[in-house]
Amino acid sequence: MANTVGIRRFTRINFEQDVLLDFGAKKYEQSICNLSLGGICVKGQFEQHEGDSCKVELRQAGTVGPAVEFQAKGRVVWINGENIAIEFTEMEYDSFLFLQTALLYQADDPLLVSSEFGRDVTFQVLEDDKL
Protein backbone atom coordinates (compact mmCIF):
# COMPACT_ATOMS: atom_id res chain seq x y z
CA MET A 1 0.00 0.00 0.00
CA ALA A 2 1.33 3.41 -0.78
CA ASN A 3 2.23 5.61 2.16
CA THR A 4 0.99 8.73 0.39
CA VAL A 5 -2.74 9.30 0.78
CA GLY A 6 -4.54 9.46 -2.57
CA ILE A 7 -1.70 7.97 -4.61
CA ARG A 8 -1.91 4.25 -5.29
CA ARG A 9 1.19 2.57 -6.55
CA PHE A 10 -0.48 -0.74 -7.50
CA THR A 11 -3.92 -1.79 -8.72
CA ARG A 12 -6.25 -3.09 -5.99
CA ILE A 13 -7.94 -6.41 -6.78
CA ASN A 14 -11.03 -7.73 -5.02
CA PHE A 15 -9.99 -11.02 -3.48
CA GLU A 16 -12.54 -12.96 -1.45
CA GLN A 17 -10.65 -15.12 0.98
CA ASP A 18 -9.90 -15.12 4.69
CA VAL A 19 -6.47 -14.13 5.91
CA LEU A 20 -4.65 -14.63 9.19
CA LEU A 21 -2.88 -11.57 10.59
CA ASP A 22 -0.48 -12.54 13.37
CA PHE A 23 0.77 -9.64 15.48
CA GLY A 24 2.34 -11.96 18.06
CA ALA A 25 0.22 -11.34 21.13
CA LYS A 26 -2.91 -10.80 19.01
CA LYS A 27 -4.14 -12.79 15.99
CA TYR A 28 -7.02 -12.03 13.66
CA GLU A 29 -8.67 -14.21 11.02
CA GLN A 30 -10.71 -11.86 8.85
CA SER A 31 -11.86 -11.34 5.25
CA ILE A 32 -9.76 -9.54 2.68
CA CYS A 33 -11.14 -6.29 1.19
CA ASN A 34 -8.57 -6.15 -1.57
CA LEU A 35 -5.08 -7.21 -2.49
CA SER A 36 -2.32 -5.53 -4.49
CA LEU A 37 1.30 -6.15 -5.33
CA GLY A 38 2.24 -3.89 -2.41
CA GLY A 39 -0.13 -4.94 0.33
CA ILE A 40 -3.51 -6.02 1.60
CA CYS A 41 -6.63 -4.42 3.04
CA VAL A 42 -8.54 -6.51 5.59
CA LYS A 43 -12.09 -6.01 6.89
CA GLY A 44 -12.71 -5.82 10.62
CA GLN A 45 -11.98 -4.06 13.86
CA PHE A 46 -8.42 -4.28 15.12
CA GLU A 47 -6.59 -3.33 18.31
CA GLN A 48 -3.43 -2.39 16.40
CA HIS A 49 -1.65 0.84 15.55
CA GLU A 50 0.03 2.31 12.51
CA GLY A 51 3.56 0.89 12.27
CA ASP A 52 2.76 -2.42 14.01
CA SER A 53 4.38 -5.43 12.32
CA CYS A 54 2.64 -8.71 11.55
CA LYS A 55 2.79 -11.97 9.64
CA VAL A 56 0.20 -12.40 6.86
CA GLU A 57 -0.95 -15.92 5.90
CA LEU A 58 -3.38 -17.16 3.26
CA ARG A 59 -4.31 -20.83 3.52
CA GLN A 60 -5.92 -23.10 0.96
CA ALA A 61 -9.67 -22.98 1.41
CA GLY A 62 -11.00 -25.80 3.57
CA THR A 63 -7.66 -26.86 5.04
CA VAL A 64 -6.32 -26.76 8.56
CA GLY A 65 -2.64 -26.85 9.38
CA PRO A 66 0.38 -26.26 7.19
CA ALA A 67 -1.34 -25.81 3.78
CA VAL A 68 -0.21 -22.18 3.47
CA GLU A 69 -0.42 -20.69 -0.01
CA PHE A 70 1.04 -17.29 0.83
CA GLN A 71 3.07 -15.92 3.71
CA ALA A 72 4.57 -12.46 4.14
CA LYS A 73 5.63 -9.98 6.76
CA GLY A 74 4.08 -6.55 6.78
CA ARG A 75 3.34 -3.42 8.74
CA VAL A 76 0.19 -1.42 9.36
CA VAL A 77 0.05 1.71 7.18
CA TRP A 78 -3.46 2.81 8.15
CA ILE A 79 -6.35 1.66 10.26
CA ASN A 80 -9.92 2.81 10.87
CA GLY A 81 -12.95 1.30 12.58
CA GLU A 82 -13.76 -0.92 9.59
CA ASN A 83 -10.49 -1.94 7.89
CA ILE A 84 -6.75 -2.24 8.27
CA ALA A 85 -4.14 -1.81 5.52
CA ILE A 86 -0.91 -3.80 5.65
CA GLU A 87 2.08 -2.99 3.46
CA PHE A 88 4.23 -6.02 2.68
CA THR A 89 7.82 -5.76 3.96
CA GLU A 90 9.15 -9.20 2.97
CA MET A 91 8.07 -12.53 1.54
CA GLU A 92 9.61 -15.67 0.09
CA TYR A 93 9.90 -16.08 -3.67
CA ASP A 94 7.17 -18.75 -3.83
CA SER A 95 4.75 -16.41 -2.05
CA PHE A 96 5.70 -13.63 -4.46
CA LEU A 97 4.84 -15.92 -7.39
CA PHE A 98 1.54 -16.88 -5.73
CA LEU A 99 0.71 -13.18 -5.24
CA GLN A 100 1.38 -12.38 -8.90
CA THR A 101 -0.70 -15.35 -10.08
CA ALA A 102 -3.60 -14.51 -7.74
CA LEU A 103 -3.61 -10.90 -8.92
CA LEU A 104 -3.63 -11.91 -12.59
CA TYR A 105 -6.37 -14.49 -12.08
CA GLN A 106 -8.69 -12.08 -10.22
CA ALA A 107 -7.96 -8.89 -12.20
CA ASP A 108 -10.51 -7.28 -14.50
CA ASP A 109 -7.55 -6.13 -16.62
CA PRO A 110 -4.72 -8.71 -16.32
CA LEU A 111 -2.53 -6.79 -18.79
CA LEU A 112 -2.61 -3.68 -16.59
CA VAL A 113 -1.76 -5.72 -13.50
CA SER A 114 1.04 -7.60 -15.27
CA SER A 115 2.59 -4.30 -16.35
CA GLU A 116 3.06 -3.49 -12.65
CA PHE A 117 5.25 -6.56 -12.10
CA GLY A 118 8.21 -4.68 -13.56
CA ARG A 119 7.93 -1.90 -10.96
CA ASP A 120 10.04 -1.94 -7.85
CA VAL A 121 8.15 -3.43 -4.93
CA THR A 122 8.51 -1.98 -1.45
CA PHE A 123 9.32 -5.34 0.12
CA GLN A 124 12.23 -7.76 0.07
CA VAL A 125 11.79 -11.06 -1.79
CA LEU A 126 13.64 -13.79 0.13
CA GLU A 127 14.93 -17.20 -0.84
CA ASP A 128 12.60 -20.04 0.15
CA ASP A 129 12.41 -20.94 3.86
CA LYS A 130 13.99 -17.67 5.01
CA LEU A 131 10.83 -15.96 6.34
Side-chain angles (χ1 to χ4, degrees):
M1 306 270 160
N3 290 333
T4 307
V5 175
I7 298 175
R8 291 190 170 178
R9 184 177 172 129
F10 301 109
T11 303
R12 274 34 174 195
I13 304 296
N14 292 329
F15 193 79
E16 295 188 24
Q17 187 170 340
D18 286 346
V19 64
L20 176 66
L21 301 179
D22 183 349
F23 287 91
K26 191 78 172 168
K27 295 179 179 156
Y28 306 89
E29 188 163 350
Q30 302 289 107
S31 297
I32 297 170
C33 301
N34 60 59
L35 181 66
S36 77
L37 194 57
I40 190 169
C41 178
V42 180
K43 299 174 190 174
Q45 296 181 346
F46 301 87
E47 298 174 13
Q48 303 307 135
H49 300 93
E50 194 171 310
D52 287 354
S53 295
C54 69
K55 187 183 238 183
V56 178
E57 287 187 3
L58 294 174
R59 298 181 186 278
Q60 291 178 343
T63 62
V64 178
V68 175
E69 292 181 305
F70 173 85
Q71 191 172 45
K73 290 186 180 176
R75 68 178 179 85
V76 177
V77 291
W78 62 259
I79 187 168
N80 62 29
E82 298 174 5
N83 303 315
I84 191 170
I86 307 292
E87 178 181 56
F88 300 133
T89 56
E90 60 185 50
M91 70 181 68
E92 293 176 359
Y93 186 70
D94 285 349
S95 288
F96 184 54
L97 292 178
F98 171 85
L99 176 62
Q100 290 178 323
T101 303
L103 292 170
L104 285 173
Y105 184 74
Q106 296 293 323
D108 291 333
D109 186 351
L111 289 176
L112 173 64
V113 172
S114 68
S115 71
E116 297 175 352
F117 295 168
R119 294 185 194 162
D120 289 333
V121 291
T122 57
F123 54 87
Q124 182 178 8
V125 178
L126 307 172
E127 295 177 34
D128 291 341
D129 301 323
K130 300 292 182 190
L131 190 59

